Structure formats: structure tokens, C-alpha cells
Amino acid sequence: MSNQLGKAGLGLVRTWHHVDLSNENRTLGRIASQIAIALIGKHKPITHETEDAGDYVVVSNCQYLKVTGKKLTDKTYWSHTTRPGSGEATPMEKIIRDFGYGEVLKRAVSRMLPKNRYRKQRLERLKVFDGSNHPYASNIIAWADQHPLVEKAAKESIIREKQLNEFNELMKQKKL
């Protein structure tokens, strides 16, 4: 049995993902579910419910958020203080007016996360901006819609590395 761990440590690294809603065709719920998966870390090979292995997610251009049907006028967010008669319904329009589209996205993602002790930490890793400018541009590694391109580039680099190793072996044997 080997003592080598291999590249399992790469699964524990928190990467930064960027979602630009100006180019997005998906609606609020579909985007929120994908963001929740990235915050939890379910896309990684080492996920476990007792560990928080999620990534950072930066969402820009939230003013382009798409909502289907009459949700802007009909959707209400309920809150209460557990005291009788303290229930309060706030329409989505008022939340957008007061806090912006980013708050609507944060609430959708929050309700898709598991209700456990990691929920607050995961939500802190979600960075939401109504405009296109944000201070995390240098941290972003991959865009959310470029995942197949990243995988393709990784495979190509592995192939190039194998070719280079074969060439070095031939050079050592002076067959080339």
C-alpha cells in the first residue's frame, strides 16, 4: 500500500467562480440552485456532509436577473419573530426597491442551502453585485459557464506533459 495521497488536496482548495447575469438565459431558481451547489461543494469529488468544502461565488450584473410569470408583483417573503401576530409579508418589488436584485438572489440561494451550522459561512462566500464592477476580479479562476473549456484545457495540458516526458526519456536514452 502506498503512502502517497496524490492530488486529493486540490479538492479542498476553495476556488472563485464568476457568474455574469447579463449573459445568462436561466431564471432565478435555476441560477440559485447552481450557486448553492458550488457553495456547498457538491461539484467536488470529496464532498461530505460534515465538511464545508465549498467555493466562493461572485455574481455580477444582478439587475439582469430573470424572473418568470408575475413573481415581481405576486411573490412575497414571509418573516416573523415567533410571537403571535408578528407575521410580516414583504413583496419582491419592495425588496428590489430597498435592497436591490442581489438581495433577491441571496434569499433564493439561502433557502436552497441546508439548514445547518455551515449555512452562514456558505452565504458569506457568496458575493453579489448589481453592477459589473467588483473587487474580486483578481481572485476569479473560472467562469461558471466555461467549465467544459477548463476541463478541455486540463486534458490538453496532461497530454502535453506526457509527450514532454516521453521526449525527455528518449533524450536520456539518446535515441532521438
Side-chain angles (χ1 to χ4, degrees):
M1 193 160 111
S2 173
N3 287 336
Q4 247 183 348
L5 293 176
K7 296 181 181 177
L10 293 175
L12 296 171
V13 175
R14 294 193 195 277
T15 58
W16 289 73
H17 301 276
H18 183 241
V19 179
D20 187 5
L21 294 183
S22 64
N23 303 333
E24 204 57 61
N25 292 328
R26 296 178 291 175
T27 57
L28 170 65
R30 295 185 184 271
I31 291 171
S33 65
Q34 289 299 311
I35 291 172
I37 287 170
L39 290 173
I40 295 168
K42 281 191 172 182
H43 63 290
K44 294 185 176 184
I46 58 151
T47 57
H48 194 267
E49 59 193 28
T50 61
E51 290 184 18
D52 187 17
D55 293 337
Y56 289 90
V57 178
V58 178
V59 183
S60 60
N61 291 319
C62 284
Q63 70 266 20
Y64 294 105
L65 190 66
K66 293 177 180 64
V67 183
T68 58
K70 296 184 189 177
K71 287 192 182 87
L72 280 175
T73 55
D74 294 347
K75 171 106 176 104
T76 56
Y77 293 96
W78 292 89
S79 63
H80 57 85
T81 62
T82 67
R83 296 189 65 167
S86 68
E88 185 179 317
T90 310
M92 186 185 277
E93 282 181 321
K94 184 173 182 339
I95 289 176
I96 291 172
R97 241 190 350 259
D98 294 346
F99 304 108
Y101 284 92
E103 182 64 25
V104 172
L105 183 64
K106 274 187 182 178
R107 289 185 184 202
V109 171
S110 171
R111 291 167 184 190
M112 291 186 183
L113 290 173
K115 282 66 173 178
N116 59 18
R117 63 183 177 155
Y118 297 120
R119 186 181 199 188
K120 190 181 287 187
Q121 296 168 9
R122 288 172 176 157
L123 278 174
E124 287 173 358
R125 288 197 306 267
L126 174 63
K127 314 295 183 185
V128 178
F129 300 96
D130 280 338
S132 61
N133 297 332
H134 56 83
Y136 304 105
S138 61
N139 297 346
I140 293 172
I141 292 176
W143 293 59
D145 59 346
Q146 292 180 338
H147 187 67
L149 297 176
V150 172
E151 285 181 353
K152 182 181 175 186
K155 287 178 184 177
E156 288 175 357
S157 68
I158 290 170
I159 291 170
R160 272 187 259 123
E161 187 178 336
K162 285 181 182 178
Q163 290 173 347
L164 184 63
N165 289 339
E166 289 172 4
F167 178 75
N168 287 337
E169 287 295 322
L170 289 174
M171 288 301 288
K172 284 181 184 177
Q173 297 171 1
K174 299 199 185 208
K175 290 186 177 179
L176 199 97

